[in-house]
Amino acid sequence: MGTNPESDTRPFPEAGLPARAASALAGLAPNESELFTLRLDRSRSDLLDPLARLYGERTDYAAFVDDLVAVLAEGWAARPADLRHLDLRRDLEPDWFLRQTMVGYVFYVDRFAGTIPDVAAHIDYLDELGVTYVHFMPCLRPRPGDSDGGYSVMDYRAVDPRLGTIDDLAGAAAALRARGISLCIDVVLNHTAKEHEWAHKALAGDPDYQAYYRMFDDRILPDQYEATLDEVFPAHAPGNFTWYPAIRKWVWTTFNEHQWDLDWSNPRVFLEIVAVMLFLANRGVEVFRLDAVAFLWKRIGTRCQNEPEVHDILQALRAATRIAAPAAIHLEEAIVSPRDLVPYLGAGRHAGREGNLAYHNSLMVQFWSALASRDTRLMAYVLRSHFPGHFRNATWATYLRCHDDVGWAITDEDAAALGLSGLAHRSFLADFYEGVFPGSFARGALFQSNPLTGDKRSSGTTASFSGLEAAMLDDDAAGIDTAIHRILMGHALIAAFGGVPLLYMGDEIGLLNDHTYLSDPDKAHDSRWMHRPAMDWRKAERRGVAGTIEARLHGGIAEIMRRRKVTPHLHGENPTEILSAAVDGVFAFRRISPLGPLVALFNFAGDWRRVPWGFLEANGVGDCEDRLTGHRVAPEEGGLALPPYARVWLT
Ligand code: GLC
């Protein structure tokens, strides 16, 4: 990170720590409190520059900064010794999360294991897949009933009682850490449940807590905002504001009625969330998945997404954990257009200072787009034109599917550059993955179609999207084989592209769409539950039976991850360069490493392709080995032959 030229010159902490902070540190050994002040000093401008921009004009700014330093000091003073040791290790190995040895796995605790204490029994299973990072899907205490899959949190310091206790969470984090696995959990930054204590106080009329949220006495401002806002859930939660007669106010509710948007222009909100994050970090959380961050700042006349202040908030949060819990990193969830996505990994003055990870939503969308169209030109164009090949102190979280729908985030401009109509292509993809486009191999469902904008999103699992469901129903052995190759190609792509590949629970054994959510009244309106099936451990057992679908998928994915770990070219610091495809239907990129280049090829065409040797030679891998198989690749006449859905990593 280093010094920032814009450094704020406030005499801090040189002038001595504010009293409350000093007293928090008083009980610590001198070296421990010195470590705190050294780290505070290291991140001083990373923390204060953005905060001065956000809140510096306020008369209570100096008091706020004192309070913040106190919260940081209290967090550090409460940090357990084993985690302080981890902090030191991470200080010494700051690239830990960029390494090619990283592999992530994402699951709902209840659907994977039952409860948090039950997770320990499945660590061997995670180990088999090479997992070094697990994301427990929302596990903090949600509101009762529909909680948007846990994203409507009523207590950030308690765990969902159905899953366990906060001590269970700390125990699971320690058990995972002992096996080399970092725990990631969600912190929902944009909103709390309306059942959260802050919201309760606001509803009871407390003006200090009403100021935690965005509340309006009449429709004047809401109408002005609404003129340029999108609707996230138009089908079941239209509009962005909700009227509460008890307090006679409109409350900003971007997502669901029960999710109240926090007002980040209030520095008390910032303080509260920092305290929450340190509380959780001290229970062993190593990766914070910061939810829905694009929405944190509101500005009339805009979509109220990706506003510059969002990046100031996120940089300051990052500096805060770097001071008081430096082992932790931040994964920022912003499912936005390519242009808006890049800054979440730190751009301009935020370079190296913001998210350590961000979801590569565009790579995911382009994977499914290319798979349906058998054409990789749009994919190559978008990934080449909008994304730098490399970031400072940050990398992508790469994935094929997650718990959310796929929004077909392909802009009209990008589609037009390839001679396509954006609307027609997006609508083709939604139809294709719903399974209604003639000849589609996919099975899925629509999510939130918006008749006003023509926007249609899609739900479905990796396996069902890839053709496995349809082929199994038809008892079509060749179709099953093809679907398996599509899934393995996708995993070879996310394992090599650059970033931490995130495996989504059940994809490794081909779990299909699950329709049981339709009979649960809290879930029936939300087709995303279709791709959140429970783990089928009996099916998982079949991974040990050679030749089964489960064995081929699980074994194939585990092998890809094993290969990734021994291929240092794939370290996150090595830039990714998208290559102009030598052949139609083949997506190609190059990782540039001190060891020489790695060229990765993926055949989306659906039939055989030949990549000319001249292309491989020009990219530095004329005489090469396929790192995925360990086999030498001997030049053949006509070029390198790639069967349908082939994937190779050539060095
Ligand atoms: C994120 C989550 C999504 C949730 C939303 C609101 O986008 O991934 O599941 O509905 O935030 O919290």
Side-chain angles (χ1 to χ4, degrees):
M1 296 206 194
T3 26
N4 187 321
E6 280 181 74
S7 278
D8 171 289
T9 52
R10 207 168 300 272
F12 148 113
E14 294 85 333
L17 290 172
R20 193 177 129 202
S23 94
L25 299 178
L28 297 178
N31 64 323
E32 296 290 350
S33 75
E34 188 191 3
L35 212 45
F36 177 80
T37 42
L38 288 172
R39 290 204 182 107
L40 181 60
D41 205 24
R42 172 179 68 178
S43 298
R44 182 171 171 276
S45 64
D46 288 350
L47 179 70
L48 291 186
D49 292 347
L51 290 177
R53 286 192 292 268
L54 290 166
Y55 310 123
E57 301 295 304
R58 299 173 58 109
T59 52
D60 56 359
Y61 181 64
F64 158 71
V65 172
D66 282 3
D67 286 349
L68 176 58
V69 178
V71 167
L72 297 174
E74 285 159 6
W76 173 247
R79 193 150 171 83
D82 55 339
L83 294 173
R84 286 200 194 150
H85 185 261
L86 185 66
D87 292 334
L88 279 179
R89 245 178 60 198
R90 295 283 161 77
D91 279 344
L92 296 170
E93 304 181 348
D95 74 329
W96 67 277
F97 65 94
L98 298 168
R99 296 181 182 168
Q100 74 281 358
T101 47
M102 289 293 287
V103 175
Y105 191 83
V106 180
F107 58 80
Y108 288 91
V109 172
D110 56 342
R111 290 168 180 246
F112 179 67
T115 67
I116 290 176
D118 295 332
V119 171
H122 297 292
I123 298 182
D124 286 342
Y125 181 81
L126 298 169
D127 218 34
E128 253 181 78
L129 289 165
V131 170
T132 59
Y133 151 144
V134 293
H135 174 189
F136 288 3
M137 288 297 293
C139 62
L140 300 182
R141 188 168 179 210
R143 72 189 293 269
D146 174 22
S147 64
D148 186 26
Y151 285 101
S152 201
V153 177
M154 61 182 284
D155 188 349
Y156 293 102
R157 288 185 172 81
V159 159
D160 183 339
R162 290 166 295 192
L163 305 178
T165 65
I166 197 76
D167 291 337
D168 292 336
L169 186 75
L176 290 163
R177 196 163 55 248
R179 300 281 301 270
I181 301 175
S182 298
L183 174 63
C184 168
I185 73 164
D186 290 85
V187 178
V188 183
L189 295 188
N190 181 63
H191 43 263
T192 72
K194 68 175 179 187
E195 288 78 6
H196 192 283
E197 186 197 340
W198 306 332
H200 269 301
K201 291 182 176 167
L203 267 177
D206 185 332
D208 287 346
Y209 285 93
Q210 290 190 346
Y212 276 38
Y213 297 96
R214 299 250 178 195
M215 300 194 166
F216 307 88
D217 294 334
D218 54 42
R219 280 297 303 189
I220 297 176
L221 287 172
D223 284 343
Q224 286 180 29
Y225 280 114
E226 203 66 92
T228 49
L229 285 174
D230 301 335
E231 292 182 319
V232 178
F233 297 140
H236 69 252
N240 287 278
F241 300 88
T242 306
W243 174 250
Y244 290 88
I247 42 171
R248 303 199 51 75
K249 286 187 194 295
W250 290 94
V251 178
W252 198 312
T253 51
T254 298
F255 292 85
N256 289 292
E257 175 275 324
H258 51 81
Q259 291 164 303
W260 286 17
D261 288 42
L262 287 163
D263 184 354
W264 282 84
S265 71
N266 178 353
R268 306 314 297 179
V269 169
F270 184 88
L271 276 181
E272 294 272 16
I273 296 290
V274 169
V276 161
M277 289 174 72
L278 297 183
F279 172 87
L280 294 168
N282 286 350
R283 265 100 209 132
V285 173
E286 294 181 41
V287 184
F288 287 106
R289 178 192 180 276
L290 303 179
D291 181 66
V293 291
F295 299 87
L296 299 185
W297 201 267
K298 325 289 190 192
R299 176 168 281 117
I300 288 210
T302 72
R303 292 170 64 225
C304 298
Q305 287 189 50
N306 318 303
E307 288 298 298
E309 288 83 353
V310 164
H311 299 289
D312 278 334
I313 295 167
L314 292 169
Q315 176 179 320
L317 288 175
R318 175 70 198 113
T321 55
R322 199 160 181 254
I323 291 164
I329 57 167
H330 294 191
L331 161 61
E332 296 183 358
E333 189 245 356
I335 306 305
V336 296
S337 72
R339 193 183 344 99
D340 293 321
L341 179 53
V342 170
Y344 289 93
L345 287 179
R349 61 183 169 202
H350 303 291
R353 300 182 164 83
E354 206 190 307
N356 304 98
L357 297 170
Y359 290 100
H360 204 327
N361 174 55
S362 216
L363 178 67
M364 183 273 293
V365 164
Q366 293 301 336
F367 169 76
W368 294 111
S369 164
L371 204 61
S373 62
R374 303 177 175 205
D375 186 333
T376 53
R377 284 172 300 169
L378 181 64
M379 180 179 200
Y381 172 79
V382 167
L383 294 173
R384 185 175 34 237
S385 348
H386 301 301
F387 299 98
H390 159 258
F391 295 89
R392 209 195 311 164
N393 193 30
T395 191
W396 295 112
T398 56
Y399 65 114
L400 295 177
R401 289 295 293 113
C402 68
H403 68 291
D404 277 328
D405 53 292
V406 184
W408 300 108
I410 293 167
T411 64
D412 290 343
E413 297 73 43
D414 287 342
L418 275 294
L420 299 169
S421 144
L423 186 64
H425 186 59
R426 291 189 297 269
S427 152
F428 155 70
L429 293 171
D431 292 348
F432 191 91
Y433 287 103
E434 191 189 355
V436 300
F437 189 86
S440 167
F441 50 74
R443 293 295 174 269
L446 289 183
F447 177 73
Q448 303 285 328
S449 31
N450 187 339
L452 288 178
T453 58
D455 183 36
K456 291 191 269 185
R457 287 134 75 180
S458 307
S459 287
T461 67
T462 294
S464 295
F465 271 9
S466 300
L468 192 60
E469 183 171 331
M472 284 172 73
L473 263 178
D474 293 350
D475 241 334
D476 166 8
I480 291 174
D481 192 63
T482 303
I484 289 173
H485 282 295
R486 290 189 188 107
I487 297 170
L488 293 177
M489 179 177 76
H491 284 87
L493 171 69
I494 61 170
F497 187 81
V500 180
L502 300 183
L503 310 178
Y504 185 59
M505 186 204 84
D507 284 356
E508 75 278 15
I509 54 167
L511 289 190
L512 305 179
N513 293 335
D514 173 8
H515 298 274
T516 56
Y517 75 100
L518 289 168
S519 53
D520 180 339
D522 286 334
K523 300 195 170 94
H525 63 278
D526 189 340
S527 71
R528 290 177 299 173
W529 288 101
M530 173 184 264
H531 51 258
R532 300 169 181 175
M535 187 61 176
D536 184 340
W537 289 106
R538 292 201 19 218
K539 196 166 152 58
E541 282 303 309
R542 287 204 291 273
R543 73 190 185 281
V545 183
T548 57
I549 293 172
E550 295 79 10
R552 293 182 64 194
L553 283 176
H554 190 283
I557 292 171
E559 177 66 5
I560 290 167
M561 299 306 151
R562 263 195 298 280
R563 295 286 173 172
R564 164 179 161 84
K565 286 170 192 265
V566 295
T567 307
H569 307 68
L570 302 179
H571 188 289
E573 261 158 23
N574 295 327
T576 303
E577 182 193 8
I578 310 299
L579 301 175
S580 311
V583 203
D584 281 354
V586 175
F587 178 62
F589 60 80
R590 184 157 78 140
R591 299 297 304 275
I592 300 160
S593 90
L595 301 169
L598 178 151
V599 172
L601 302 171
F602 305 88
N603 181 7
F604 284 81
D607 51 22
W608 284 75
R609 286 290 184 267
R610 269 187 191 278
V611 176
W613 285 106
F615 173 84
L616 300 179
E617 273 159 10
N619 286 296
V621 291
D623 175 20
C624 57
E625 176 189 335
D626 177 7
R627 290 283 182 143
L628 268 174
T629 56
H631 296 153
R632 284 219 77 71
V633 178
E636 297 168 50
E637 218 178 308
L640 174 63
L642 296 176
Y645 308 110
R647 54 277 168 190
V648 290
W649 298 348
L650 306 175
T651 61

